[in-house]
Amino acid sequence: MPVFEMPLEQLWEYTGCSPKPADFDQYWEQALAENAAVGLDYTTTPAAFQAPGVECFDLWFTGVRGAKIHCLFLKPAEVKEKIPGVVAFHGYMHHGGEWFERLPYVYRGMAVLVMECRGQGGLSEDAYSGAGPTVFGHVVRGVRDEDPHKLYYRDVYLDAAQTVRILMSMEFVDEDRVAVTGKSQGGGLALAAAALVPKVKLCAPLYPFLCDFQRVLDMDLNKGAYEGFYWLFKKCDPTHRSHDRYMERLGYIDIQNHTPNVKAKVLWQTGLMDDQCPPSAQFAAYNKLSAEKKIILYPDHTHELIYFANDEIFRFFLEI
């Protein structure tokens, strides 16, 4: 283990140090009711990219607060019976990526839907409106608003759940055979989606982001994707008077508080040298999973490309 992290034997027992709001379940029941009211309507147009035997579309739907969400949608050109589906989520500030990288799943007979997060690197709109600083970082957006439902990631999690439900609603997709995956932010969103949509069959997160925020701060890792914490406190609350209130509020989007609700079978992968999404923060979420699960550890890898990790995910999804 790296010097900045606790020993591996402690990681297997660690269950986090960030709070869980007392009304966590009610909060998400209300959020999901708002999401359900939006509906599952969507539109598609043929994409510029096409491949033999595959149909590729730009798919759009309306998320909460009226945001227009864009997805990459791929399916086999010929579908004779109901097929499984995969929903993929991208990393922080990125976009849906290349169509090419999704083709193996389609050639295996699966439909694929790749959600682009509102206000990040793709085409989805940012409909955010809430009090507080937006100096840097999405994680802390909304933490100072009087309304706890103004958290940026609350809406992104609902978009993720809606994306899964849209794929499940397609007449040629078997709603009981849908998997979710993603790395970093995408891994966190895959777990959130699996928690909010219990029918998800398989979940394959790769070094997920958005876990155990207090642990990240305790380790002085408020940099990179977590840099919003640094600027929030330094510029807006230099004595940390509101620290506990902010941590309590962020408990609504802390993945470790969502993983107990995951019913899907989980294949988790991470590098033990990760200094952006530290292993202990991830284990806080992993250890709270009650569903069937497996974690593959890569001792020498940090928050980076892990060779053969995609092979593991592909093999895992063949189970569906």
Side-chain angles (χ1 to χ4, degrees):
M1 294 301 299
V3 295
F4 64 80
E5 191 53 278
M6 61 180 67
L8 184 57
E9 58 269 20
Q10 292 183 25
L11 292 179
W12 292 112
E13 304 296 330
Y14 180 68
T15 55
C17 59
S18 293
K20 180 177 182 178
D23 65 341
F24 179 88
D25 292 335
Q26 294 88 339
Y27 176 97
W28 282 103
E29 286 175 6
Q30 180 180 343
L32 287 170
E34 179 184 340
N35 208 34
V38 175
L40 299 177
D41 292 340
Y42 61 90
T43 61
T44 60
T45 56
F49 178 92
Q50 297 294 329
V54 178
E55 295 179 344
C56 302
F57 302 89
D58 290 294
L59 182 148
W60 295 87
F61 68 86
T62 300
V64 293
R65 306 190 203 284
K68 299 300 182 184
I69 307 301
H70 176 254
C71 300
L72 288 68
F73 175 46
L74 305 86
K75 60 179 285 292
E78 294 188 16
V79 179
K80 297 181 179 179
E81 57 186 7
K82 289 206 171 188
I83 60 175
V86 173
V87 177
F89 303 100
H90 62 75
Y92 189 62
M93 300 304 294
H94 196 45
H95 49 71
E98 297 181 286
W99 297 86
F100 175 82
E101 63 184 304
R102 316 299 176 181
L103 292 178
Y105 291 102
V106 187
Y107 287 134
R108 187 62 176 80
M110 303 177 185
V112 180
L113 198 52
V114 186
M115 187 193 88
E116 294 190 320
C117 293
R118 52 176 72 197
Q120 296 194 21
L123 299 178
S124 296
E125 294 180 2
D126 189 355
Y128 178 77
S129 174
T134 55
V135 176
F136 190 96
H138 290 296
V139 180
V140 299
R141 291 181 72 179
V143 74
R144 298 177 71 195
D145 198 284
E146 292 184 6
D147 182 356
H149 288 274
K150 290 292 186 70
L151 290 168
Y152 166 82
Y153 270 108
R154 177 261 198 189
D155 292 350
V156 176
Y157 289 6
L158 292 177
D159 294 339
Q162 195 171 356
T163 301
V164 170
R165 290 196 176 100
I166 285 172
L167 186 63
M168 288 179 170
S169 74
M170 295 180 181
E171 61 181 4
F172 53 84
V173 173
D174 185 342
E175 64 178 349
D176 294 319
R177 299 167 65 203
V178 170
V180 294
T181 188
K183 65 180 180 180
S184 194
Q185 173 187 253
L189 294 181
L191 288 162
L196 296 174
V197 186
K199 284 182 69 69
V200 169
K201 184 75 171 179
L202 301 176
C203 178
L206 183 59
Y207 43 73
F209 180 43
L210 301 164
C211 302
D212 201 7
F213 301 121
Q214 184 59 57
R215 175 63 178 169
V216 173
L217 293 178
D218 289 346
M219 297 176 72
D220 195 28
L221 294 178
N222 51 344
K223 58 184 181 180
Y226 284 116
E227 192 174 359
F229 284 109
Y230 174 82
W231 292 113
L232 173 69
F233 287 114
K234 188 169 185 177
K235 288 185 175 291
C236 306
D237 186 18
T239 62
H240 285 238
R241 290 181 180 178
S242 299
H243 183 106
D244 290 346
R245 181 165 62 87
Y246 291 163
M247 290 299 106
E248 181 79 12
R249 173 69 60 84
L250 291 169
Y252 293 118
I253 61 169
D254 193 328
I255 292 299
Q256 68 164 331
N257 295 331
H258 285 270
T259 50
N261 295 324
V262 172
K263 305 301 181 186
K265 182 178 179 181
V266 175
L267 174 66
W268 193 303
Q269 299 182 84
T270 193
L272 290 178
M273 298 294 288
D274 196 327
D275 61 353
Q276 293 187 47
C277 297
S280 53
Q282 295 183 52
F283 267 90
Y286 179 80
N287 289 334
K288 291 180 179 176
L289 284 166
S290 58
E292 184 178 355
K293 62 185 179 181
K294 175 183 177 182
I295 188 167
I296 301 175
L297 302 176
Y298 300 88
D300 303 311
H301 282 77
T302 181
H303 204 74
E304 61 182 321
L305 172 66
I306 299 178
Y307 291 106
F308 313 119
N310 285 322
D311 291 355
E312 295 287 352
I313 294 171
F314 186 79
R315 283 195 290 264
F316 179 54
F317 284 177
L318 292 181
E319 297 180 15
I320 206 166

